[in-house]
Amino acid sequence: METFIGQPVKRREDDRFLKGAGKYTDDIKLPGMTHSAFVRSPYAHARILSIDTSKAKTAEGVVAIYTAEDGCGAFGVPCGWQVDFKNGETMREPQHPLLAKDKIRHVGEAVAIVIAETQELARDAAELVQVSYEGLPAVTCPKKAMEPGAPKVHDEWEDNASFDWCIGNDRAAVEAALEKAHHVTEMTYKNHRVAPNAIEPRSYIADYDVNGDKWTLYTSTQNPHLIRLLLCAFALGIPEHKVRVVSYDVGGGFGSKIYHYTEEALLTWASKEIGRPVKWTSDRTEAFLTDAHGRDHIVHSKMGFDKDGKIVAHLTDEYCAMGAYLSTFAPAVPTYLHGTLFQGVYTTPLIHLNVVAPFTHTVAVDAYRGAGRPEATYLLERIMSKAAKEMAIDPAELRFKNFIPPFDGVKEPGYQTQVALQYDSGNYEAVLKRGLEMLGYEDFRMDQAEARKNGKLLGVGISTYIEGCGIAPSAVVGALGARAGLYEVGHVRVQPTGKVSVFTGAHSHGQGHETVFAQFVADKLGISMDDVDIVHGDTDQVAFGMGTYGSRSLSVGGSAIIKSIDKILEKGAKIAAHKLEAAEEDLEYAEGKWKVKGTDKSISFGDVSLTAYVPHDYPEGLEPGLDFSSFYDPTNFTYPFGTHIAVVEVCADTGKVTLQRFVACDDVGNVMNPMIVDGQIHGGVVQGVGQALLEEVVFDGEGQMATGSYMDYAMPRADDVPMIETDRTTTPCPHNPLGVKGAGEAGAIGSTPAVVNAVVDALSHLGVTDIQMPVTPQRVWKAMQSKK
Amino acid sequence: MQISMTINGKEYSHDVEPRISLAQYLRENLDLTGTHIGCDTSGCGACTVHVDGAAAKACTLLAVQVDGSEITTIEGMANGKEMHPIQEAFKENHGLQCGFCTPGMVMTAADILKNNPNASEEEIRHGLEGNFCRCTGYHNIVKSIQHAAEKMNA
């Protein structure tokens, strides 16, 4: 019988996408639908003196115009995570209004919404809204935001800190160990701000239906139920059971479509006001100005080593921008998704991280592919390579010296870190060994030496990462400040004919759940994949769910489905035993049949399903039907890991970096579909390469974004990258039924430091020891010139 | 303004505002929503269609500019139920994830191979320069186009 787990099954969602028949939110048209446009602030920080909508209101096709003076002025969107100050003071949490009232706090903040018959008429009228501002000084750098006298983002507090937090060992002990260390490597740099840039811009349609007093919100989100919860319980105070949130096809998320945005709530409110559906689709510049960004940490770090190159202590201080308001997950990103990974894959005995998280006059920073873990990995892997150079130890060798020894989490216990977590299972030496082998590391070093003689600048960069995903055990994250549980729901409905509908709270925006989930469901039930349908993205169909982010779909969402399958097989066995006139314990389930062990008597899954719905000859006292829903709350995070190695050539004349090779050996636990895992790694790697070489959100001194379009913001294009060479080791996750760890973010976590390490390596013989990302030709050229 | 054009082999005639882009016209007037809009500066290529046989970005062409032209969109690539070899190759090689850039990628790929049926990896990458994909890292898109070329040349 054909099995599907571990097979590169082609995706069933592809046909509709390839034919242009996908159903993205902007593709939806509703009868009577209106369109909207926002009047947005051109200032980063300003007082609103007046708003005059009179001319706009009389413009052609205008249906309504609202400002904060209207009913929506009372509402705001919530933050989902509370991280308090280390001294016990509560996190400073400003209201995040749907429309700015008196003050502007970032460029692009919405002041008014204009609703009209067409998108063009809405935009025309928006231009007629006259807003008078008094511009004020702005601060966009998180470190400068904490300097005395810095412009304040929120007037109600004495400074810009949202919180000041720390994790790890006692600071004094870490400092003392650094004092005594044989060697200390120090780094100061910026993990700069990047824009997620899903190619589908955010798009929403809110449709209030007076019949039944119900709202439907079509939204390009990664987590429809979470949006419904935040929208109903926190933003608008409307009844949750009267709201349906639908998220059909979504054109990439990378974190930016997790959050509950002001536009979603405002459209939902406005739809009831005007009694018609309202649509808004972001344009690209609006996306740059209003989608939550990633990274933006200013870092100062010290790592101490003993004479043998073993790490003795690590101390880091960071300023991490929050933006003007706290986005849904924002406080968790530089703290619990970041500091908890400071152990890395090393046995560092003493670790301390302090994070100051200021408000800045910018759009929010929140989780972006990897969320906190790429920033932790960048720090650890850059400082390890820098230290290796300073101590004249090969960078691979320094890593081998410091690795946590292999442990499977079953025979050997999980690894308790200094920063709160317990790793599930890992074999860090194996991925580095394999990565070096894939590259041909020793040969490369010879080639490099030869090339240098000819004036050619070749470099290799290693990164050995770990990440925490499969987010997350509810009680743990609750203790860490999450205001939600992070379980998942899996509902399996066996139809009378034995066909299976699976309803998952996870959401696919490119990950291929419709295929991968069907693979393991079919295998576990011993039926054909054609008999399994995966339903997601509609709160009226799926009971509940927390959505897709943090590489959690399979490890948490998949496990919830497995729980329901177990219940189905348990109940099915009762029915089968009755029909076969055998004891339950004498049955075995294989290949879609319950068999009486040692006989040829059996009954098929389809026959049992039919019996469950036509219960004429049926076990006494057993309920009809074969339909189970389960919540799965993981007992731990999962910890994928791997080695990424980049080879670059730097042009000695122009400073241009060419990525020649990229080797990725990842361990994501068991693999359901290797084709899809490879695809996730390829995409993640190139996103990380983008941050290393090309991408940066730049603000000028007044808080204007200088990179607000694809003419100004450089992202990787096909000719910027080579083929990605991938391989895997497999260390199963010991605590979930599929043994999976998650693959969505790994590529973006491991790749960035590998590339920068390679560039620094290429220039190291010239005396270059560090270079700020993104490593543009100008920066490289300047670094080379400075050493002449 | 009154405009007429042939789209995927069918004649259409509409009265449109001169400022409407070809992408908006296809999406709004004809419900051909396979042509996606990811930006408005020709930067992302999600809106790529063929105008008189050559790839063009429909977000920065006005509908009135292509009056009288022959347009092919992603909806016109398959032959009934049978997918175009490039579409097949994208499926076969996992050349798509979220699917949003995919129509533009397929239309650009067709243009690359039309002009250079034996395009090398480097030529394919160069030809894809005007199309962003944020999911695949381009790896499997390039492979898809290489495989499509093999099939189409066979």
Side-chain angles (χ1 to χ4, degrees):
Chain A
M1 173 152 187
E2 195 183 1
T3 56
F4 305 100
I5 290 179
Q7 298 302 313
V9 177
K10 307 298 174 221
R11 298 200 323 170
R12 42 170 65 171
E13 39 276 84
D14 285 0
D15 288 39
R16 68 174 187 271
F17 293 139
L18 283 161
K19 291 175 178 168
K23 202 174 192 184
Y24 302 91
T25 304
D26 191 56
D27 299 340
I28 298 168
K29 274 186 195 172
L30 300 177
M33 187 171 79
T34 63
H35 298 261
S36 62
F38 286 89
V39 178
R40 297 189 182 277
S41 168
Y43 288 90
H45 189 199
R47 243 183 291 283
I48 301 173
L49 302 177
S50 65
I51 305 173
D52 180 359
T53 59
S54 56
K55 210 169 154 197
K57 274 185 173 151
T58 61
E60 185 193 347
V62 169
V63 176
I65 299 179
Y66 300 109
T67 69
E69 296 301 319
D70 298 300
C72 57
F75 304 119
V77 290
C79 175
W81 209 295
Q82 182 177 329
V83 175
D84 293 334
F85 284 77
K86 62 189 178 220
N87 67 8
E89 189 191 331
T90 306
M91 178 176 82
R92 295 169 184 168
E93 189 174 0
Q95 205 224 3
H96 186 177
L98 304 189
L99 292 168
K101 206 171 204 162
D102 307 312
K103 235 182 153 190
I104 293 297
R105 296 185 176 87
H106 69 90
V107 172
E109 188 167 2
V111 175
I113 180 172
V114 176
I115 301 171
E117 297 295 343
T118 69
Q119 191 187 36
E120 292 72 35
L121 292 173
R123 288 181 176 184
D124 286 348
E127 286 184 12
L128 299 175
V129 175
Q130 306 222 325
V131 187
S132 170
Y133 301 96
E134 179 196 346
L136 298 167
V139 63
T140 59
C141 164
K143 191 169 180 205
K144 286 188 180 148
M146 290 307 297
E147 287 171 1
K152 276 208 275 179
V153 182
H154 297 282
D155 296 325
E156 54 265 53
W157 296 294
E158 69 264 26
D159 62 32
N160 280 320
S162 173
F163 55 85
D164 176 346
W165 171 95
C166 68
I167 193 168
N169 308 97
D170 175 55
R171 185 175 184 116
V174 177
E175 282 171 344
L178 284 169
E179 283 289 314
K180 284 189 282 181
H182 172 76
H183 178 84
V184 175
T185 294
E186 195 166 349
M187 283 190 79
T188 303
Y189 66 93
K190 178 160 79 167
N191 196 313
H192 62 285
R193 183 184 277 247
V194 289
N197 272 305
I199 307 299
E200 179 209 23
R202 286 190 291 127
S203 181
Y204 310 124
I205 306 168
D207 179 19
Y208 175 74
D209 184 0
V210 72
N211 296 315
D213 188 31
K214 277 199 82 168
W215 291 260
T216 304
L217 175 67
Y218 300 88
T219 166
S220 50
T221 185
Q222 301 177 215
N223 31 237
H225 292 87
L226 190 59
I227 296 302
R228 187 181 61 169
L229 176 63
L230 296 172
L231 173 73
C232 295
F234 300 97
L236 296 182
I238 56 177
E240 199 177 357
H241 63 299
K242 294 282 192 183
V243 176
R244 175 185 175 204
V245 176
V246 183
S247 170
Y248 293 126
D249 291 323
V250 173
F254 316 111
S256 68
K257 292 173 182 164
I258 297 171
Y259 323 118
H260 183 30
Y261 286 94
T262 51
E263 293 91 349
E264 281 170 315
L266 190 57
L267 260 65
T268 305
W269 174 84
S271 172
K272 185 171 180 179
E273 290 295 306
I274 65 167
R276 291 173 64 182
V278 193
K279 180 190 247 185
W280 173 73
T281 300
S282 168
D283 66 27
R284 184 52 56 186
T285 293
E286 277 183 304
F288 275 106
L289 293 175
T290 65
D291 290 3
H293 290 163
R295 322 295 186 238
D296 208 355
H297 295 196
I298 307 275
V299 184
H300 177 236
S301 187
K302 284 181 185 176
M303 191 176 268
F305 296 83
D306 70 13
K307 62 180 181 358
D308 300 321
K310 291 274 281 181
I311 306 167
V312 293
H314 173 200
L315 176 66
T316 290
D317 287 283
E318 299 189 25
Y319 294 90
C320 305
M322 287 287 103
Y325 303 101
L326 296 178
S327 176
T328 312
F329 274 18
V333 177
T335 54
Y336 293 106
L337 296 174
H338 177 60
T340 50
L341 270 300
F342 266 46
Q343 189 78 49
V345 286
Y346 310 117
T347 54
T348 313
L350 290 164
I351 302 168
H352 185 89
L353 164 68
N354 195 85
V355 170
V356 179
F359 296 109
T360 49
H361 289 107
T362 65
V363 67
V365 179
D366 206 325
Y368 165 58
R369 202 168 194 171
R373 289 99 83 202
E375 297 92 318
T377 304
Y378 187 79
L379 167 57
L380 292 174
E381 296 308 300
R382 273 293 297 128
I383 207 164
M384 284 297 277
S385 285
K386 187 165 186 271
K389 186 76 199 163
E390 288 170 1
M391 295 188 286
I393 302 174
D394 181 90
E397 186 52 36
L398 186 66
R399 287 171 169 86
F400 280 122
K401 276 176 189 287
N402 283 285
F403 279 147
I404 296 164
F407 60 105
D408 64 8
V410 182
K411 292 192 295 299
E412 303 94 1
Y415 183 84
Q416 183 59 49
T417 72
Q418 302 299 317
V419 276
L421 300 179
Q422 191 181 53
Y423 293 165
D424 55 353
S425 57
N427 187 347
Y428 312 123
E429 296 165 6
V431 280
L432 179 54
K433 274 188 192 143
R434 179 69 191 123
L436 295 172
E437 196 178 281
M438 287 164 73
L439 179 81
Y441 185 64
E442 284 170 23
D443 290 348
F444 174 83
R445 285 296 185 196
M446 286 190 282
D447 294 347
Q448 182 186 35
E450 199 56 36
R452 276 182 183 170
K453 285 184 202 157
N454 304 320
K456 205 168 143 187
L457 304 173
L458 285 185
V460 63
I462 297 173
S463 153
T464 48
Y465 73 90
I466 187 165
E467 58 152 328
C469 55
I471 292 171
S474 296
V476 174
V477 293
L480 303 180
R483 290 165 171 168
L486 287 171
Y487 47 80
E488 196 46 85
V489 180
H491 175 187
V492 180
R493 175 177 298 155
V494 182
Q495 314 287 359
T497 52
K499 310 290 183 196
V500 177
S501 303
V502 178
F503 303 85
T504 174
H507 183 276
S508 179
H509 27 280
Q511 296 87 343
H513 296 167
E514 290 166 40
T515 304
V516 178
F517 285 15
Q519 283 180 251
F520 73 79
V521 171
D523 267 16
K524 295 286 172 190
L525 292 175
I527 59 177
S528 161
M529 264 184 78
D530 292 339
D531 291 344
V532 182
D533 194 30
I534 307 295
V535 179
H536 67 96
D538 183 346
T539 61
D540 267 12
Q541 289 203 68
V542 180
F544 198 67
M546 296 308 291
T548 286
Y549 40 80
S551 305
R552 70 191 300 275
S553 300
L554 202 51
S555 59
V556 189
S559 299
I561 295 168
I562 294 283
K563 269 183 87 170
S564 290
I565 289 175
D566 288 346
K567 293 176 190 171
I568 279 164
L569 292 178
E570 199 184 310
K571 184 170 178 181
K574 289 187 174 37
I575 300 168
H578 176 86
K579 295 291 278 188
L580 294 168
E581 297 177 336
E584 257 181 80
E585 52 273 22
D586 293 336
L587 298 186
E588 60 185 4
Y589 189 74
E591 299 186 339
K593 284 184 190 123
W594 281 273
K595 288 182 198 156
V596 182
K597 287 179 213 163
T599 73
D600 59 357
K601 279 173 71 181
S602 71
I603 183 167
S604 72
F605 180 72
D607 284 341
V608 166
S609 311
L610 191 63
T611 307
Y613 286 92
V614 188
H616 297 165
D617 175 16
Y618 202 66
E620 205 180 315
L622 192 68
E623 264 183 50
L626 209 45
D627 187 320
F628 285 100
S629 185
S630 307
F631 283 63
Y632 176 82
D633 201 342
T635 54
N636 193 359
F637 293 81
T638 60
Y639 299 91
F641 54 92
T643 289
H644 287 187
I645 306 178
V647 173
V648 301
E649 182 177 350
V650 177
C651 174
D653 295 325
T654 64
K656 182 172 164 42
V657 176
T658 303
L659 183 60
Q660 287 194 337
R661 286 181 69 189
F662 198 97
V663 167
C665 181
D666 298 280
D667 193 320
V668 298
N670 290 339
V671 167
M672 295 296 113
N673 184 325
M675 175 189 85
I676 284 179
V677 169
D678 284 345
Q680 289 291 318
I681 299 295
H682 298 154
V685 163
V686 171
Q687 256 176 314
V689 169
Q691 184 181 13
L693 294 181
L694 297 160
E695 300 179 35
E696 183 174 20
V697 173
V698 177
F699 295 102
D700 73 7
E702 290 172 344
Q704 287 296 336
M705 194 187 295
T707 50
S709 84
Y710 285 152
M711 310 300 277
D712 315 291
Y713 186 89
M715 290 206 302
R717 295 188 179 273
D719 58 356
D720 290 317
V721 286
M723 289 295 190
I724 311 299
E725 303 164 50
T726 52
D727 196 8
R728 275 185 288 279
T729 61
T730 303
T731 308
C733 173
H735 63 75
N736 66 48
L738 291 167
V740 295
K741 293 194 170 191
E745 294 161 296
I749 290 169
S751 58
T752 310
V755 174
V756 178
N757 281 341
V759 176
V760 175
D761 184 57
L763 306 176
S764 61
H765 61 298
L766 308 175
V768 174
T769 58
D770 193 16
I771 194 155
Q772 172 63 46
M773 291 190 287
V775 186
T776 57
Q778 186 192 31
R779 286 203 173 111
V780 175
W781 189 82
K782 279 186 176 167
M784 290 191 293
Q785 296 306 308
S786 73
K787 300 296 173 191
K788 274 189 177 167
Chain B
M1 264 177 86
Q2 194 67 29
I3 54 166
S4 315
M5 55 186 101
T6 308
I7 299 164
N8 301 331
K10 269 174 80 177
E11 301 275 345
Y12 293 91
S13 196
H14 281 99
D15 186 22
V16 300
E17 273 193 78
R19 62 173 166 174
I20 298 297
S21 72
L22 175 59
Q24 284 170 296
Y25 173 66
L26 294 169
R27 293 178 58 80
E28 300 299 328
N29 291 55
L30 302 177
D31 287 330
L32 292 172
T33 53
T35 298
H36 295 152
I37 301 176
C39 75
D40 35 34
T41 53
S42 297
C44 81
C47 65
T48 307
V49 297
H50 294 172
V51 178
D52 296 326
K57 292 184 175 165
C59 77
T60 38
L61 272 176
L62 297 171
V64 296
Q65 272 178 289
V66 292
D67 183 21
S69 296
E70 198 157 310
I71 312 288
T72 307
T73 71
I74 188 68
E75 290 91 344
M77 288 299 276
N79 182 9
K81 281 189 175 170
E82 197 184 322
M83 288 206 281
H84 187 281
I86 293 174
Q87 291 170 312
E88 283 288 349
F90 268 70
K91 179 169 180 173
E92 210 48 39
N93 292 281
H94 191 32
L96 64 154
Q97 291 182 24
C98 81
F100 196 79
C101 77
T102 308
M105 286 289 177
V106 170
M107 300 312 282
T108 301
D111 192 60
I112 293 170
L113 296 183
K114 184 185 166 197
N115 295 320
N116 184 0
N118 296 303
S120 66
E121 182 192 330
E122 198 185 337
E123 287 166 335
I124 291 170
R125 288 186 181 275
H126 186 69
L128 290 174
E129 228 187 14
N131 293 66
F132 274 136
C133 172
R134 198 61 157 163
C135 294
T136 65
Y138 303 103
H139 183 111
N140 284 338
I141 293 178
V142 174
K143 260 175 68 181
S144 301
I145 299 172
Q146 289 173 322
H147 280 226
E150 277 171 33
K151 271 201 257 174
M152 289 161 74
N153 294 334

